[in-house]
């Protein structure tokens, strides 16, 4: 529930900000070097928030950066909502944590070979979701015609449902390849961030 509340807030903010407020947001994010200015030059607020989250700057239970950004552009009502959602996320984390009496669980992160083997053992369609290494991954594949190559190319975005982290495939020659590549990249990113 917390994750959808976070993304609902991102969307609500994006839909309600005036053009001048979005420009101020871009200027502030770029000026503080939170994201490269080129990555946010034409981005809307929702895209900026997703990029900040994907870069690990707005982790689950911590929306202090979003609250700060909203205060900087004079939208304190959204700063307060962000703080409330972050508090709920922290509560969810505590409620779902294991009791102290439980034996410590020792896990090792999957290797690149483990990730590739697991991902490539699954068949993929245009879109859907799969559970890999205990993570629910949603993926969406689309196609575009690459005029410079005179062929159809496939692209896929994969998103970890609980953390909101996403990654894309880049250009691939097959739907299956695009889905595999996006999910492999996402799982490696989650592993590198200590999530799996």
């Amino acid at each position: 529930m917390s994750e959808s509340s976070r993304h609902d807030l991102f969307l609500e903010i994006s839909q309600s900000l005036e053009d001048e407020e979005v420009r101020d947001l871009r200027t502030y994010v770029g000026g503080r070097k939170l994201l490269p200015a080129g990555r946010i030059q034409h981005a809307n607020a929702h895209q900026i928030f997703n990029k900040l989250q994907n870069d690990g700057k707005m982790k689950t239970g911590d929306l202090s950066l979003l609250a700060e950004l909203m205060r900087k552009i004079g939208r304190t009502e959204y700063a307060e909502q962000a703080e409330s959602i972050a508090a709920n996320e922290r509560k969810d984390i505590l409620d779902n944590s294991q009791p102290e009496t439980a034996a410590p669980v020792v896990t090792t992160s999957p290797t690149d070979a483990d990730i590739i083997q697991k991902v490539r053992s699954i068949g993929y369609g245009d879109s859907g979701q799969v559970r890999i290494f205990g993570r629910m991954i949603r993926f969406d594949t689309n196609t575009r015609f690459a005029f410079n190559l005179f062929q159809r190319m496939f692209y896929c975005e994969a998103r970890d449902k609980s953390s909101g982290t996403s990654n894309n495939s880049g250009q691939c020659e097959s739907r299956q390849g695009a889905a595999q590549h996006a999910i492999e990249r996402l799982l490696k990113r989650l592993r590198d961030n200590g999530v799996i």
Side-chain angles (χ1 to χ4, degrees), residues 109 188-196:
S109 296
K188 288 176 184 177
R189 184 175 185 181
L190 291 171
R191 179 200 56 204
D192 295 344
N193 290 339
V195 177
I196 60 172

Side-chain angles (χ1 to χ4, degrees), residues 5 11 16 20 22-23 32 53 60 64 72 83-84 87 92 103 116 119 124 133 137-138 154 157 162 180-181 189 195:
S5 297
L11 187 58
S16 70
E20 184 177 333
V22 175
R23 280 193 298 275
R32 280 202 44 207
Q53 180 174 280
T60 302
S64 58
K72 291 287 184 188
E83 290 167 344
S84 174
D92 288 347
I116 290 168
V119 170
Y124 302 95
F133 297 116
I137 308 293
R138 172 111 179 100
F154 295 90
E157 180 178 0
S162 62
Q180 287 175 345
H181 195 64
R189 184 175 185 181
V195 177

Side-chain angles (χ1 to χ4, degrees), residues 22-189:
V22 175
R23 280 193 298 275
D24 291 345
L25 179 64
R26 283 190 205 114
T27 300
Y28 188 73
V29 169
R32 280 202 44 207
K33 297 186 179 11
L34 297 170
L35 293 171
R39 281 183 63 198
I40 58 171
Q41 182 176 351
H42 301 290
N44 64 32
H46 192 258
Q47 292 166 331
I48 292 170
F49 301 149
N50 282 329
K51 289 175 192 290
L52 288 168
Q53 180 174 280
N54 291 342
D55 281 3
K57 293 180 172 71
M58 291 196 298
K59 296 180 178 172
T60 302
D62 183 8
L63 289 175
S64 58
L65 177 60
L66 179 61
E68 177 186 346
L69 292 171
M70 291 300 98
R71 285 190 176 92
K72 291 287 184 188
I73 64 170
R75 298 302 293 261
T76 55
E77 72 275 19
Y78 291 124
E80 292 167 2
Q81 285 183 39
E83 290 167 344
S84 174
I85 289 170
N88 288 337
E89 289 176 347
R90 288 190 298 272
K91 182 181 177 299
D92 288 347
I93 291 169
L94 289 175
D95 290 347
N96 293 330
S97 65
Q98 294 180 348
E100 291 181 25
T101 57
V105 176
V106 179
T107 59
T108 58
S109 296
T111 64
D112 285 355
D114 295 336
I115 290 172
I116 290 168
Q117 178 185 14
K118 187 73 170 172
V119 170
R120 293 190 180 171
S121 68
I122 301 171
Y124 302 95
D126 288 339
S127 64
Q129 57 187 24
V130 293
R131 183 173 295 278
I132 303 176
F133 297 116
R135 309 299 296 185
M136 187 58 75
I137 308 293
R138 172 111 179 100
F139 63 93
D140 291 302
T141 307
N142 59 56
T143 183
R144 298 180 198 139
F145 189 80
F147 290 99
N148 59 333
L149 301 172
F150 296 106
Q151 73 181 53
R152 196 167 58 156
M153 300 305 290
F154 295 90
Y155 299 84
C156 182
E157 180 178 0
R159 178 177 301 279
D160 176 50
K161 289 182 75 172
S162 62
S163 70
T165 304
S166 67
N167 224 317
N168 62 39
S169 64
Q171 183 172 298
C172 294
E173 292 183 3
S174 72
R175 179 173 280 111
Q176 178 84 8
Q180 287 175 345
H181 195 64
I183 294 171
E184 285 173 13
R185 281 181 164 182
L186 174 61
L187 290 171
K188 288 176 184 177
R189 184 175 185 181

